[in-house]
Amino acid sequence: MATKVSNFSDLIQRVTASCLLHPLAGNRPDDISVQRSGSDSDSEEERYETKQEQDGFDEEEESKDWEAANKDEPSNERILEMEMLMGEVFDAVSAMKRAYVSLQQSHSPWDPDKMRVADVVVVAELRKLGVLRERFRRTVGGDGGGRGRWRLGSLTLREVVAPYEASLEELNKEVKAKQVEVDNLREKLKTATSFNSSGGRSKGKSKRRVSCTTQVAAAPAPAPEQFEATMNLVTEASKSFTSLLLSLMRSAHWDIAAAVRSIEAASSNATASADSVVGKNHSKYALESYVNRKIFQGFDHETFYMDGSLSSLLHPDQHRRDSFTQYRDMKAMDPVELLSILPTCSFGKFCFKKYLAIVHPKMEESLFGDLEQRRQVLDGHHPRSQFYSEFLGFSKAVWLLHLLAFSLDPLPSHFEANPGAEFHSQYMESVSKISCNNGAGNAYASMVVSFPVSPGFKLGNGSIIKARVYLVPKNGF
């Protein structure tokens, strides 16, 4: 009996210890049954020992995992440093966004000063972000254990900064391009200044001059040959513009014969007759006469009577130098590009005035279907059309001729043949061929001027630039 009580007490002690160590085992009632046999007690003891071994192994694994986690986890100091760095990044990004908003607002309305200030702020914030990125890379790269943990944040920051780096690179390219342009302009200015100082031309230097030069002897004097060559350019430009205008009139189904009769009447100050003396294929000459008469009107005045300036009379020498300087500066310029920069310069005002004089509102509406180009001209803008570009080329040639005329001393005299005047080969040139059987002299002797096509000039050296005229027989005039 004593043996049974001892065995029973020992069994209770083992079961109690097992329940204390493994409380979940109490949920399984089958395992808590009272074992009375010695063999069952031994089996329970074996299970208890095996369980203790497994628990010890699990505790060892958890300890290793905890130590590894503590090894990779950054210190409090490191975390504080990273939090401060990210705070600076967010502040820099917010400041950059505000600067970029200011940059956008400066475009509408257009404010160059405000735009320049906002651009400087944006670039400064982008540079600050670049510095923060480098700090972040150095901080992460200094700890081999934390590199993998912080790599995701590094990539995120790189993705955020990449667009701004691209913008910064584009801005740097623009700055370099502008710097190259500035250097070229400085070189040109240096060349012109050195030329004016030395009074001669250095080899390989630019031919351009500055208009504010005080060295009169350094600049070459205008020559009559230049005037003759420029007059040839005017003639070619006049023919080109007239051909374009005539083709537009034909496309608009104009009555060309009626237009020619109206031009003839205007030339002779008479009413238009029912029949025209102009040949069927010679309408272009009548139209060219009309265009030249309009554009050369006021040629004898220094500003085409656009204002009351009298500087050519009050300061003739200075005015001649200024006119020739303008001629040399403008000769190589594209009139379209020039007027896109300086639309209301003297040449621009000349183009406005002559376009309105040559192209009547009804003519423009008939040719183009509206008055859009005229509205732009009246608003002080130069239209970007093929017709107006051709007109600008013609106007530039006449303007250059005018500048050269007021550069010469004495001023070339301007003359024009009157309708009905006899033909003089010394001063006139026929635009059409005269067919005859008895010799050219007899044929021209029987011809008279129907209308002038372009004016002539007599230069100070005695040379004559002949006036172009359209001739008709005397009996047919």
Side-chain angles (χ1 to χ4, degrees), residues 261-319:
R261 289 194 298 269
S262 177
I263 293 172
E264 287 178 322
S267 300
S268 60
N269 296 323
T271 57
S273 59
D275 298 325
S276 173
V277 296
V278 179
K280 184 179 180 180
N281 297 324
H282 294 170
S283 302
K284 58 183 179 181
Y285 299 128
L287 188 58
E288 187 178 356
S289 171
Y290 163 77
V291 170
N292 283 328
R293 185 172 70 253
K294 292 292 185 180
I295 204 166
F296 275 97
Q297 188 174 4
F299 188 90
D300 55 341
H301 189 264
E302 61 188 68
T303 63
F304 282 91
Y305 293 102
M306 291 187 291
D307 56 40
S309 177
L310 297 174
S311 58
S312 60
L313 299 177
L314 300 176
H315 310 286
D317 294 337
Q318 183 62 40
H319 183 76

Side-chain angles (χ1 to χ4, degrees), residues 119-161:
D119 180 65
V120 171
V121 176
V122 170
V123 173
E125 294 301 331
L126 288 174
R127 289 177 177 172
K128 187 175 180 181
L129 282 173
V131 172
L132 293 174
R133 182 190 62 179
E134 293 302 321
R135 278 179 54 191
F136 183 82
R137 286 178 176 175
R138 288 194 297 269
T139 303
V140 174
D143 183 9
R147 185 175 300 173
R149 184 176 297 274
W150 296 99
R151 187 175 298 160
L152 179 60
S154 178
L155 290 175
T156 304
L157 181 62
R158 187 180 298 113
E159 291 174 357
V160 170
V161 177

